[in-house]
Amino acid sequence: MSLVVKNLWVFRGGRAVLEDVSFSAGREFVLVAGPNGAGKTTLFLAILGQVPHRGEICVEGLCGEERAAKVGYVPQHVRIEAEATVWEYVYLPARFRKIKAAEKAAEEALKAVELYALRDKPVTTLSGGQRQRAAIARALATGGDVLLLDEPMANVDPQGRVELMTLLRELKKDRTILMTSHELTFPSDLADKVLLLNKRVVAYGPPDAVFREEVLMKIYRYVRIAKTPTGFICVTEDYAHPH
Amino acid sequence: MLILIEALAAASAAAAFVHAYLYAPLLFWPLVSLVLSAAVLAALSPLAVSRRMTFLAHAQGHSILTAALAAAIPAAAVAQSLASPLFYLATLLFIIVLNLLVLFTERLGFRKDVATGVVMSFQLTATVVLLYVIRYLYATALDPLSLITGEYVLITSQDVLIQAPLLFASALFPLFYGVKYLYAAVDEAFAQAVGINPKLLDRLFVVAMSLAVAASVYALGSLMPAVLLVLPGAAASRYSHRLTEQMPLSVSLAVLSAAAAHFLCTIMPWLWPSAALGLALLVLLVAAHPPRNK
């Protein structure tokens, strides 16, 4: 297994933010779903070793702090506050992490997300979707065996979302990808598994097994599930027809 | 563009040194001091600009005046002169305390600009008190105006020897952490994810800034270091959008301006060198054509 999380506890201000979370993932795409405050981002920060935690987290067999070098991360808010070129944005963190052949890693990552041609442009001039792709390239260049994507579809227009999903379908072939989302609408061919989180693991398994009304009703009050002809699973909080 | 500006800076600095050595020997060591101070302060400048610390950098003008006035009291009592290691060390000590006080005030829950303003208000009050104390105690030994404008023409090789280690120590931060700190300004959350500690770097930056400002106060006075902490970085960002070019560009522009200031003062002796330096930097900033794609 590429990622193993066992009995993970995270406390903040004396309160448990994550309670006894355990799961494992191989080379597959795991959608981490749950309401706001469920601990999705905290789970990622714990995997990166950025928050104090109890329990065991191993990435590619590495269970200490060194595991962070195997993890590529796309933060929830991709904020770009100062000038840098697309190349510097992707290459420099790989250099800081002392990645072997950092230049080659950055070049390949930029080609994978189809931004290599824009490498000399200021990253601030990219569109929302292009910025997310640049952030994914940066995550690929700095780690890449396990990718953690924290709400990558937020603030991206519909066209950008389609482009991102196409990219993620390519990337999931040889990587472990965990992607958080508070929206429960996604293309059904993308996620191999769904981790439903609400401080603790509510359910973990294939989308068809997790996205069932009786499972979702454990954390959401009103839900309605529908499959669209294009293969999207839409889970909506249904206020019109409460149970 | 970077290579052109670097070459121009090197050539103009060399010309200024040769001119000072051959035709204005009294200005040779002041020029050495000016170029060194300008280069180190300018290396820190893009860091202040990118990290949104320009207000703190400008507050250096107030901090350094307060610190220098406070340092002048023991210096004048012991040596009856500001050209002493005691003055530099005491200034450094006071400026570090004042700068760290800003970070401490931030921890009380104030935003960075408010924290800087709060500490600056305290400094302004202290400055008024210190000015009166100095006038009362050392009316003939010390002119407070020299702390504002600097004693450029009185700089000797001895002063440069005292300045050099402080400036060297200050330059270590941009040399070793400059690019990381600039990246933390681009995306702080991700910088943390790859092992950079922006808060620790903030503190080290403040110490580096304090060292450079304390080293420069005798030559440049208390006002110009603040200008050199902001203008070169701001100008550099108008010449290039490359993060890795910001520091070399900023230093080159400052050295070019220092050389220009030397020649300007030779032609117009009424123009104080540090003021001429600020003027040259302003011209370079306004003259820049923003890079393409910006």
Side-chain angles (χ1 to χ4, degrees):
Chain A
M1 283 292 168
S2 304
L3 171 68
V4 178
V5 177
K6 271 189 203 163
N7 308 116
L8 175 66
W9 288 79
V10 177
F11 293 90
R12 193 170 292 155
R15 281 178 42 229
V17 185
L18 287 176
E19 301 173 7
D20 201 24
V21 171
S22 297
F23 68 96
S24 58
R27 299 255 180 249
E28 56 197 338
F29 190 108
V30 179
L31 181 77
V32 183
N36 289 331
K40 302 185 293 290
T41 299
T42 305
L43 171 67
F44 282 7
L45 294 178
I47 293 170
L48 285 162
Q50 285 189 22
V51 291
H53 57 272
R54 282 204 330 240
E56 192 177 59
I57 302 172
C58 300
V59 178
E60 301 287 339
L62 300 173
C63 302
E65 284 180 3
E66 69 276 14
R67 70 172 182 269
K70 292 273 177 193
V71 182
Y73 176 53
V74 178
Q76 189 170 0
H77 304 288
V78 179
R79 288 202 182 99
I80 299 167
E81 309 256 3
E83 286 285 21
T85 61
V86 172
W87 172 257
E88 288 169 330
Y89 183 71
V90 174
Y91 162 67
L92 287 175
R95 202 182 79 185
F96 299 151
R97 261 199 178 168
K98 297 186 172 65
I99 302 278
K100 279 181 192 168
E103 277 193 44
K104 195 163 178 273
E107 189 181 320
E108 284 174 1
L110 278 171
K111 283 178 179 167
V113 302
E114 296 178 358
L115 283 180
Y116 190 69
L118 303 180
R119 63 191 180 281
D120 289 326
K121 282 193 82 140
V123 73
T124 46
T125 60
L126 299 183
S127 68
Q130 286 174 327
R131 283 184 188 204
Q132 284 293 4
R133 274 157 52 201
I136 290 171
R138 188 175 60 170
L140 290 172
T142 50
D145 288 342
V146 172
L147 270 186
L148 307 179
L149 313 176
D150 200 354
E151 303 273 5
M153 304 294 177
N155 304 318
V156 178
D157 60 30
Q159 177 59 31
R161 284 180 184 220
V162 171
E163 286 172 13
L164 266 181
M165 284 172 188
T166 308
L167 171 65
L168 293 176
R169 275 189 200 97
E170 273 303 306
L171 294 177
K172 78 170 195 170
K173 288 175 185 166
D174 52 0
R175 285 178 187 83
T176 304
I177 300 180
L178 269 69
M179 182 181 103
T180 63
S181 176
H182 68 273
E183 287 177 22
L184 300 176
T185 301
F186 71 103
S188 54
D189 68 322
L190 191 58
D192 300 300
K193 284 183 180 165
V194 176
L195 174 68
L196 191 61
L197 199 65
N198 192 19
K199 294 190 179 176
R200 54 177 60 228
V201 176
V202 178
Y204 183 48
D208 286 342
V210 175
F211 283 144
R212 300 165 72 92
E213 281 192 8
E214 64 269 29
V215 177
L216 294 170
M217 289 292 281
K218 290 179 185 171
I219 51 174
Y220 295 100
R221 248 183 109 186
Y222 313 119
V223 290
R224 169 174 285 184
I225 297 171
K227 270 197 179 178
T228 68
T230 51
F232 274 67
I233 292 179
C234 302
V235 181
T236 53
E237 292 181 69
D238 186 352
Y239 295 100
H241 305 284
H243 285 257
Chain B
M1 177 62 92
L2 173 63
I3 291 174
L4 188 71
I5 292 175
E6 279 177 339
L8 198 59
S12 55
F17 282 130
V18 169
H19 174 266
Y21 190 77
L22 295 178
Y23 303 107
L26 281 176
L27 292 181
F28 180 75
W29 288 109
L31 179 64
V32 172
S33 169
L34 182 70
V35 170
L36 285 177
S37 301
V40 175
L41 286 161
L44 296 166
S45 176
L47 311 181
V49 170
S50 301
R51 195 82 181 131
R52 300 179 184 207
M53 286 205 181
T54 49
F55 190 46
L56 179 62
H58 261 302
Q60 297 306 301
H62 301 282
S63 304
I64 196 67
L65 182 58
T66 314
L69 284 169
I73 293 173
V78 174
Q80 290 292 306
S81 163
L82 297 186
S84 71
L86 178 66
F87 173 70
Y88 281 96
L89 288 175
T91 304
L92 177 62
L93 180 74
F94 286 124
I95 190 86
I96 287 177
V97 168
L98 288 170
N99 279 333
L100 290 179
L101 210 56
V102 173
L103 295 185
F104 174 77
T105 310
E106 257 187 274
R107 291 177 68 180
L108 297 178
F110 294 108
R111 289 196 321 262
K112 200 181 282 308
D113 60 334
V114 181
T116 307
V118 167
V119 175
M120 227 156 63
S121 304
F122 157 74
Q123 287 167 12
L124 291 172
T125 311
T127 301
V128 174
V129 174
L130 285 165
L131 277 169
Y132 273 94
V133 169
I134 283 178
R135 200 168 70 166
Y136 178 72
L137 292 176
Y138 308 107
T140 53
L142 192 65
D143 178 10
L145 183 66
S146 65
L147 291 172
I148 296 170
T149 59
E151 292 281 30
Y152 184 75
V153 291
L154 298 182
I155 295 287
T156 64
S157 59
Q158 211 51 35
D159 295 308
V160 175
L161 275 177
I162 299 171
Q163 266 190 313
L166 292 174
L167 290 172
F168 177 76
S170 173
L172 292 177
F173 181 79
L175 273 175
F176 289 103
Y177 298 107
V179 175
K180 284 186 178 179
Y181 197 54
L182 283 173
Y183 199 89
V186 173
D187 187 345
E188 186 165 338
F190 193 79
Q192 281 178 297
V194 291
I196 296 171
N197 184 340
K199 297 285 174 244
L200 176 66
L201 292 186
D202 276 345
R203 287 184 203 113
L204 289 175
F205 172 69
V206 164
V207 172
M209 197 161 62
S210 306
L211 279 162
V213 168
S216 311
V217 66
Y218 185 57
L220 296 177
S222 60
L223 300 179
M224 288 317 288
V227 174
L228 281 164
L229 279 170
V230 175
L231 275 189
S237 69
R238 283 178 56 80
Y239 284 89
S240 168
H241 54 246
R242 289 176 195 277
L243 179 151
T244 44
E245 287 184 353
Q246 295 303 305
M247 283 193 293
L249 257 176
S250 177
V251 171
S252 300
L253 291 171
V255 169
L256 182 61
S257 303
H262 168 78
F263 288 116
L264 279 172
C265 295
T266 312
I267 300 163
M268 298 176 277
W270 49 267
L271 188 62
W272 200 245
S274 53
L277 172 61
L279 195 65
L281 272 170
L282 208 57
V283 170
L284 285 171
L285 184 141
V286 174
H289 289 284
R292 277 186 302 164
N293 294 326
K294 207 170 168 185

